[in-house]
Structures are given as structure tokens and as C-alpha cells.
Amino acid sequence: MMQRVLSVIVIGLLAVVFTRIVGAYVQLDALRPLAASYVTLSPESLTTPNVITGILITYRGLDTLGEVAVLFMVAASLGLLLKPLEGQPKPPKAFQRSDPGEIVHSGKQVMFPMILTFGAYVIVNGHLSAGGGFQGGAIVAAGVMLLLIATPETRLNTTLLSIVESTAGILFVLLGILGIVLAGGFLDPRFLPAGELGGFISAGAIPLISALLGIKVGAELSVVIDKFRT
Amino acid sequence: MSELIGSLFIFSGSVFLFSAGLGLLRMPDAFTRIQTGTKATTMGATLVMIGLAIYHPDWIFKLLLIIYFVYVSNPISSHALARSGHRLGTPMAPGPDALAEIDTRSDAAGDKL
Amino acid sequence: MVLVFLGIVASVIRLVIGRTLLDRIVAMDVLTIIAIVLIALYAHIADRFVYLDVAAVYGLLSFLSVLAVARFIDRGL
């Protein structure tokens, strides 16, 4: 009884705080100066019409490096925590995974290449329309999850995936250092020629960096999903 | 003229979607609800996309991709859902159960979700 | 448009009421497909091509989530 009264009081106080924050929200008429400079500079100096990818990879490149490190740490710690111990018995026979049937199997055979192609499309189109490295990598990992659901006996080659992921991370950092050497700062993509706005080969090294990010995230999330199986 | 045809397609598509929602409310049983849910929504979404394709002829490739996705994936997921539901022993409306001998119920009959 | 919204209201009601687990999952599925249609219609209204990518990703999401939940309630992952 006392707990309920207490929780109602806490929720009431939180509601008061939130209404004050929401009430003080003023609709901005124009962008703030920093955002305006990003929006105008990105198509001219970086030749990418997708401002978000430009900000993620160039103007805030160190944050992307931090995200890559965080994802790698997550995958490593999950691998450590979910490793099966030697003394544990295997689950009993009646609890084994059931076969989902033939329709799902055929459906997987149709949809899996399509999902992979769609993921590759989203990765590669990072600088033109909505997309980018992280998003495309998540779609690729979703395709792998479909594979794991439809045929539960697949064994993913986790060592190969880990090697691919680490190589992609190393290449990403190397590209960043090339940015320092050849152009402005870390991860500056201007050291490759910038084509015209909206073309496929344009925006300097941003497609390369997006591709590396996508491969890395895709391999990582696949390994993470695989660890969660019994 | 093409706008009129496009609007007609979009309208019929939304009629299908509304009937899917209505069917969800009024059907007597979980399995019949699955059936009306997936069939009607897939058809409705397909019709709406075709209507949009008539409106903007240069969007047609991406719209065809979405139509293909929804058309192939929705029946598969509903089939898997109904199969699991039958294995779990969800209560069915009275009528013949054609799958009773082939598919055995699950052993963990403790919690009927 | 109004009909689509009424469909949303009806399926949300089923989502709230639904007696067994299966009802709620199928209500979720219907809601995501309706969301795809809404995004496509909004892309038509605002006349931007890039919003269709979002609709495609949503299609993928609904399919995979229903499959995963169906496997999960069966015998665990």
C-alpha cells in the first residue's frame, strides 16, 4: 500500500518536470549557426547531399570511431559472458529446437539473397539518399538472423566473421590516418577526388568508409546473434 | 485521367485495410483472425502501392520492390505463427481440426499463453 | 485515408483486448503493415522519393519480428 502511494508521488513529480521541459520548447525559426554551416558546407565542400552521413563521418568523425570501439567491446564481452562452460549438461532431448517447416525454408531461400542485396544497396547509397554504414550493416545482420531462424542447424563460421570484422576495423582506422596525412584532419574524406553532386562515385572517400563500417557492423551483429543460441 | 485511376486504386486498397481491421475485431477465433489479418492487409498494401505507381511512374522500381517484399514475406510469417499457435494448443472455434493427427501438441503444457 | 485510420483504431482495440498471445502478435503485424502503407502515402504527399526506403525497411522488420516471436513461443529460441 505504501509502495503504491510512493510510486504515484514519484510519477507525479516526473510528470511535473517533463511538462516544464516540454512547455519551454520554442519552435526554432531558422537553424542555429553551427547547424546552418554544416548544412550549407556539406554539399559544397564534401559533395554529399546526405548531410547526416557527412556529419557522421567527417565533421564528427571521432564519435564514429568511438561507436566502432563500443560495438567491438559489446561483441567481445558478450562472447565472454555467453561462452558455454565445460561442466554444464546439454539441454534435454525433448527441448531441442523444432523444425519450422518447409514453407519457411523455401521462403528463406527466396528472401535471404534479396535481403543481402538490399543491405548492400543501403550501405553503398550512404552518401546519396538515406542509409549509411550502420544502417546497412544492421540489415545484413537481420538477413543472417532469418537464416538462423529458418534452418536451426546452420553453423556460422564465427572465426571467419571475427577476422573479417577486425580487419574492417583496422582498415577503417588506417583510412582515418590517411586522412590526417593527406588532407585536413582525422577521417577527412577529401583525399579522393570528389565527383559531381549526386553522382555515384563522388564525395571523396565517404563510400569507402561507409562500406567498411557496414561490413564491420554486419559481421559483428551476426556474431552477437549467433552467441544467443542455446 | 491517370490521377483518377490512381486514386481509385488507393481508395480500394484502403477499403481492404479497413476491412482487415474490422475483421480482426469480429472474428471468433485466433486462427481466423490471423487469416483475415494477413490476407486483407497484403492485398490492401499491394493495391495502394499500385495506385501510387500510377501516380508517379518514375517511382515504379522501388514500389515494385516493396510490393514484392510484402507479398512474399507476409504469408510466410503468418504460416509460421499459425503453426506455432496450433502447437501451443490455442483454443479453437468448433469445427473439424484437420491438423490434429499430423502435428502433436507440445509437451510443455504448463502455461497456455 | 480516413478508412485507413479507422482500420488502425480497430486493430489497436484488438491489440488491447486480445485474449490470447496470438491475437496480440497478429495485431502487431497488421499495425506494421498499415504503417508501411502510411509511410508510402506520406511519401506521395510530401513528394519525396527517399521515404520509400523507410517503407522497405519496415517491411523487412515486420516479417522478421513475427517469425522470431513465432519461433520463440514454440520452444524457446
Side-chain angles (χ1 to χ4, degrees):
Chain A
M1 185 56 203
M2 196 55 205
Q3 265 190 346
R4 277 206 180 175
V5 169
L6 213 54
S7 56
V8 164
I9 289 181
V10 166
I11 290 182
L13 285 177
L14 275 177
V16 164
V17 167
F18 274 124
T19 38
R20 288 195 54 167
I21 293 180
V22 165
Y25 172 69
V26 169
Q27 180 92 3
L28 290 173
D29 286 331
L31 292 171
R32 297 179 191 270
L34 182 64
S37 79
Y38 278 165
V39 165
T40 48
L41 265 188
S42 179
E44 299 163 359
S45 122
L46 290 182
T47 64
T48 125
N50 190 4
V51 181
I52 297 181
T53 312
I55 293 183
L56 255 187
I57 295 189
T58 313
Y59 293 127
R60 295 282 185 238
L62 281 178
D63 290 339
T64 311
L65 184 65
E67 278 181 50
V68 162
V70 161
L71 273 178
F72 179 70
M73 187 187 70
V74 160
S77 48
L78 266 180
L80 182 65
L81 283 175
L82 290 179
K83 203 162 60 160
L85 298 172
E86 278 88 40
Q88 264 191 358
K90 298 191 74 69
K93 209 60 171 129
F95 204 65
Q96 289 296 336
R97 285 182 290 258
S98 53
D99 190 29
E102 185 178 341
I103 294 187
V104 182
H105 191 80
S106 326
K108 178 249 323 185
Q109 280 173 335
V110 168
M111 294 289 284
F112 182 59
M114 226 175 104
I115 294 180
L116 280 187
T117 319
F118 185 58
Y121 163 76
V122 166
I123 292 179
V124 165
N125 260 1
H127 57 287
L128 287 178
S129 79
F134 292 107
Q135 293 87 319
I139 292 181
V140 165
V144 170
M145 185 178 99
L146 172 66
L147 189 68
L148 283 180
I149 285 181
T151 41
E153 300 97 32
T154 47
R155 305 222 170 279
L156 278 185
N157 198 352
T158 37
T159 25
L160 179 67
L161 281 177
S162 309
I163 293 180
V164 162
E165 161 198 344
S166 312
T167 320
I170 294 178
L171 280 178
F172 175 73
V173 177
L174 273 180
L175 269 183
I177 297 184
L178 259 184
I180 295 184
V181 167
L182 290 178
F186 186 68
L187 271 190
D188 207 340
R190 280 176 275 229
F191 60 88
L192 283 185
E196 76 274 6
L197 192 62
F200 191 63
I201 314 259
S202 69
I206 287 191
L208 262 180
I209 299 181
S210 282
L212 279 179
L213 268 179
I215 294 177
K216 175 173 177 43
V217 169
E220 203 153 29
L221 287 179
S222 311
V223 166
V224 163
I225 289 178
D226 188 42
K227 291 261 188 291
F228 272 109
R229 290 198 293 172
T230 31
Chain B
M1 185 54 201
S2 74
E3 295 196 354
L4 191 60
I5 299 183
S7 304
L8 211 59
F9 267 105
I10 295 183
F11 179 67
S12 56
S14 44
V15 163
F16 267 102
L17 282 179
F18 170 65
S19 74
L22 194 61
L24 263 188
L25 262 186
R26 299 233 340 132
M27 283 287 180
D29 179 30
F31 293 100
T32 42
R33 282 184 202 129
I34 291 180
Q35 180 171 28
T36 131
T38 37
K39 287 197 175 55
T41 50
T42 315
M43 193 66 202
T46 311
L47 279 180
V48 167
M49 299 298 175
I50 292 181
L52 279 183
I54 295 181
Y55 250 103
H56 296 254
D58 47 344
W59 283 5
I60 197 166
F61 187 63
K62 192 64 75 70
L63 283 172
L64 268 179
L65 187 72
I66 299 181
I67 291 178
Y68 183 65
F69 251 168
V70 169
Y71 210 68
V72 169
S73 73
N74 233 1
I76 294 178
S77 63
S78 79
H79 160 79
L81 194 62
R83 196 76 185 256
S84 310
H86 177 79
R87 264 210 201 116
L88 216 54
T90 337
M92 270 196 278
D97 185 8
L99 211 50
E101 314 88 47
I102 310 177
D103 220 10
T104 56
R105 307 254 155 123
S106 91
D107 288 335
D111 355 316
K112 289 275 196 317
L113 291 162
Chain C
M1 273 293 249
V2 178
L3 282 179
V4 173
F5 280 121
L6 278 181
I8 293 180
V9 169
S11 50
V12 167
I13 291 181
R14 169 54 67 197
L15 184 72
V16 167
I17 287 182
R19 275 174 293 243
T20 60
L21 177 67
L22 235 53
D23 291 342
R24 300 197 181 102
I25 300 177
V26 75
M28 244 354 265
D29 191 20
V30 166
L31 274 178
T32 32
I33 305 282
I34 291 186
I36 296 177
V37 170
L38 273 180
I39 294 178
L41 279 177
Y42 187 68
H44 163 64
I45 289 180
D47 211 10
R48 283 182 185 274
F49 182 63
V50 286
Y51 291 165
L52 289 181
D53 286 335
V54 184
V57 173
Y58 249 89
L60 190 67
L61 261 176
S62 89
F63 167 50
L64 283 177
S65 66
V66 172
L67 258 187
V69 174
R71 285 273 301 171
F72 178 68
I73 66 179
D74 203 358
R75 265 175 221 217
L77 206 53

Short mmCIF file of all heavy atoms in Angstrom, two decimals, chain A residues 106-130:
data_model
loop_
_atom_site.label_atom_id
_atom_site.label_comp_id
_atom_site.label_asym_id
_atom_site.label_seq_id
_atom_site.Cartn_x
_atom_site.Cartn_y
_atom_site.Cartn_z
N SER A 106 11.65 -22.65 -47.78
CA SER A 106 11.65 -22.12 -49.15
C SER A 106 11.62 -20.61 -49.15
O SER A 106 12.29 -19.96 -49.97
CB SER A 106 10.44 -22.63 -49.93
OG SER A 106 10.13 -23.91 -49.52
N GLY A 107 10.88 -20.06 -48.20
CA GLY A 107 10.84 -18.61 -48.10
C GLY A 107 12.20 -18.02 -47.80
O GLY A 107 12.59 -16.99 -48.34
N LYS A 108 12.95 -18.73 -46.94
CA LYS A 108 14.28 -18.24 -46.63
C LYS A 108 15.14 -18.25 -47.87
O LYS A 108 15.91 -17.32 -48.12
CB LYS A 108 14.91 -19.14 -45.56
CG LYS A 108 16.30 -18.76 -45.21
CD LYS A 108 17.41 -19.67 -45.59
CE LYS A 108 17.16 -21.09 -45.51
NZ LYS A 108 18.35 -21.89 -45.80
N GLN A 109 15.01 -19.31 -48.70
CA GLN A 109 15.84 -19.37 -49.88
C GLN A 109 15.54 -18.27 -50.87
O GLN A 109 16.41 -17.85 -51.62
CB GLN A 109 15.67 -20.72 -50.56
CG GLN A 109 16.48 -21.77 -49.88
CD GLN A 109 16.20 -23.13 -50.43
OE1 GLN A 109 15.12 -23.35 -50.96
NE2 GLN A 109 17.15 -24.01 -50.30
N VAL A 110 14.29 -17.79 -50.86
CA VAL A 110 13.97 -16.67 -51.76
C VAL A 110 14.41 -15.35 -51.16
O VAL A 110 15.02 -14.51 -51.83
CB VAL A 110 12.45 -16.63 -52.02
CG1 VAL A 110 12.06 -15.34 -52.67
CG2 VAL A 110 12.06 -17.79 -52.89
N MET A 111 14.17 -15.16 -49.86
CA MET A 111 14.33 -13.82 -49.29
C MET A 111 15.75 -13.50 -48.89
O MET A 111 16.11 -12.34 -48.82
CB MET A 111 13.44 -13.68 -48.06
CG MET A 111 11.99 -13.72 -48.36
SD MET A 111 11.47 -12.26 -49.20
CE MET A 111 11.44 -11.11 -47.88
N PHE A 112 16.55 -14.52 -48.55
CA PHE A 112 17.86 -14.20 -48.00
C PHE A 112 18.77 -13.45 -48.98
O PHE A 112 19.39 -12.45 -48.61
CB PHE A 112 18.51 -15.49 -47.50
CG PHE A 112 19.84 -15.28 -46.87
CD1 PHE A 112 19.98 -14.46 -45.78
CD2 PHE A 112 20.96 -15.91 -47.34
CE1 PHE A 112 21.19 -14.27 -45.18
CE2 PHE A 112 22.17 -15.73 -46.75
CZ PHE A 112 22.29 -14.91 -45.67
N PRO A 113 18.89 -13.87 -50.27
CA PRO A 113 19.73 -13.05 -51.17
C PRO A 113 19.16 -11.65 -51.37
O PRO A 113 19.93 -10.69 -51.49
CB PRO A 113 19.72 -13.84 -52.48
CG PRO A 113 19.24 -15.18 -52.14
CD PRO A 113 18.35 -15.03 -50.99
N MET A 114 17.82 -11.57 -51.35
CA MET A 114 17.23 -10.25 -51.55
C MET A 114 17.55 -9.32 -50.40
O MET A 114 17.83 -8.14 -50.58
CB MET A 114 15.72 -10.40 -51.67
CG MET A 114 15.14 -9.64 -52.78
SD MET A 114 13.44 -9.99 -52.92
CE MET A 114 12.77 -8.55 -52.22
N ILE A 115 17.52 -9.86 -49.19
CA ILE A 115 17.80 -9.01 -48.03
C ILE A 115 19.26 -8.58 -48.05
O ILE A 115 19.60 -7.43 -47.74
CB ILE A 115 17.47 -9.76 -46.73
CG1 ILE A 115 15.98 -9.99 -46.65
CG2 ILE A 115 17.91 -8.97 -45.54
CD1 ILE A 115 15.57 -10.71 -45.43
N LEU A 116 20.15 -9.52 -48.44
CA LEU A 116 21.56 -9.14 -48.50
C LEU A 116 21.79 -8.06 -49.55
O LEU A 116 22.55 -7.11 -49.32
CB LEU A 116 22.41 -10.36 -48.84
CG LEU A 116 22.71 -11.29 -47.69
CD1 LEU A 116 23.70 -12.33 -48.13
CD2 LEU A 116 23.27 -10.53 -46.52
N THR A 117 21.10 -8.20 -50.70
CA THR A 117 21.27 -7.17 -51.72
C THR A 117 20.74 -5.83 -51.26
O THR A 117 21.34 -4.78 -51.50
CB THR A 117 20.52 -7.59 -53.00
OG1 THR A 117 20.72 -8.95 -53.23
CG2 THR A 117 21.00 -6.79 -54.17
N PHE A 118 19.60 -5.88 -50.56
CA PHE A 118 19.04 -4.63 -50.07
C PHE A 118 19.98 -3.98 -49.05
O PHE A 118 20.16 -2.76 -49.03
CB PHE A 118 17.68 -4.90 -49.45
CG PHE A 118 16.97 -3.67 -49.02
CD1 PHE A 118 16.70 -2.66 -49.91
CD2 PHE A 118 16.58 -3.50 -47.71
CE1 PHE A 118 16.05 -1.53 -49.51
CE2 PHE A 118 15.93 -2.37 -47.30
CZ PHE A 118 15.66 -1.39 -48.20
N GLY A 119 20.59 -4.81 -48.20
CA GLY A 119 21.55 -4.26 -47.24
C GLY A 119 22.74 -3.63 -47.93
O GLY A 119 23.20 -2.55 -47.56
N ALA A 120 23.24 -4.31 -48.98
CA ALA A 120 24.36 -3.74 -49.72
C ALA A 120 23.97 -2.43 -50.39
O ALA A 120 24.75 -1.47 -50.43
CB ALA A 120 24.87 -4.74 -50.76
N TYR A 121 22.74 -2.39 -50.90
CA TYR A 121 22.26 -1.15 -51.52
C TYR A 121 22.21 0.00 -50.52
O TYR A 121 22.61 1.12 -50.81
CB TYR A 121 20.89 -1.41 -52.13
CG TYR A 121 20.09 -0.19 -52.44
CD1 TYR A 121 20.39 0.58 -53.54
CD2 TYR A 121 19.04 0.20 -51.64
CE1 TYR A 121 19.65 1.70 -53.82
CE2 TYR A 121 18.30 1.30 -51.91
CZ TYR A 121 18.60 2.05 -53.01
OH TYR A 121 17.88 3.16 -53.28
N VAL A 122 21.74 -0.31 -49.30
CA VAL A 122 21.63 0.75 -48.31
C VAL A 122 23.01 1.23 -47.89
O VAL A 122 23.25 2.41 -47.67
CB VAL A 122 20.80 0.26 -47.11
CG1 VAL A 122 20.93 1.18 -45.94
CG2 VAL A 122 19.36 0.17 -47.49
N ILE A 123 23.97 0.28 -47.78
CA ILE A 123 25.32 0.67 -47.39
C ILE A 123 25.94 1.57 -48.45
O ILE A 123 26.47 2.63 -48.15
CB ILE A 123 26.22 -0.58 -47.20
CG1 ILE A 123 25.77 -1.39 -46.02
CG2 ILE A 123 27.64 -0.16 -47.00
CD1 ILE A 123 26.61 -2.61 -45.82
N VAL A 124 25.84 1.13 -49.71
CA VAL A 124 26.56 1.84 -50.75
C VAL A 124 25.94 3.19 -51.03
O VAL A 124 26.63 4.15 -51.36
CB VAL A 124 26.58 0.96 -52.01
CG1 VAL A 124 26.97 1.74 -53.20
CG2 VAL A 124 27.55 -0.16 -51.81
N ASN A 125 24.64 3.32 -50.81
CA ASN A 125 23.98 4.60 -51.08
C ASN A 125 24.02 5.53 -49.90
O ASN A 125 23.14 6.36 -49.73
CB ASN A 125 22.52 4.34 -51.45
CG ASN A 125 22.36 4.41 -52.94
OD1 ASN A 125 23.31 4.62 -53.64
ND2 ASN A 125 21.14 4.24 -53.38
N GLY A 126 25.03 5.40 -49.06
CA GLY A 126 25.06 6.21 -47.85
C GLY A 126 25.15 7.69 -48.14
O GLY A 126 24.61 8.50 -47.41
N HIS A 127 25.85 8.03 -49.21
CA HIS A 127 26.07 9.44 -49.42
C HIS A 127 25.03 10.06 -50.33
O HIS A 127 25.02 11.26 -50.50
CB HIS A 127 27.45 9.65 -50.02
CG HIS A 127 27.65 8.90 -51.28
ND1 HIS A 127 27.81 7.54 -51.32
CD2 HIS A 127 27.72 9.30 -52.56
CE1 HIS A 127 27.97 7.16 -52.57
NE2 HIS A 127 27.91 8.19 -53.34
N LEU A 128 24.13 9.26 -50.91
CA LEU A 128 23.16 9.85 -51.81
C LEU A 128 21.80 10.02 -51.17
O LEU A 128 21.26 11.10 -51.13
CB LEU A 128 23.01 8.98 -53.06
CG LEU A 128 24.19 9.06 -53.99
CD1 LEU A 128 23.96 8.15 -55.15
CD2 LEU A 128 24.34 10.48 -54.47
N SER A 129 21.26 8.93 -50.66
CA SER A 129 19.96 9.04 -50.02
C SER A 129 20.09 8.44 -48.64
O SER A 129 21.18 8.17 -48.16
CB SER A 129 18.90 8.32 -50.85
OG SER A 129 18.98 6.96 -50.62
N ALA A 130 18.99 8.20 -47.99
CA ALA A 130 19.04 7.73 -46.61
C ALA A 130 19.76 6.39 -46.55
O ALA A 130 19.53 5.52 -47.34
CB ALA A 130 17.62 7.58 -46.07
#
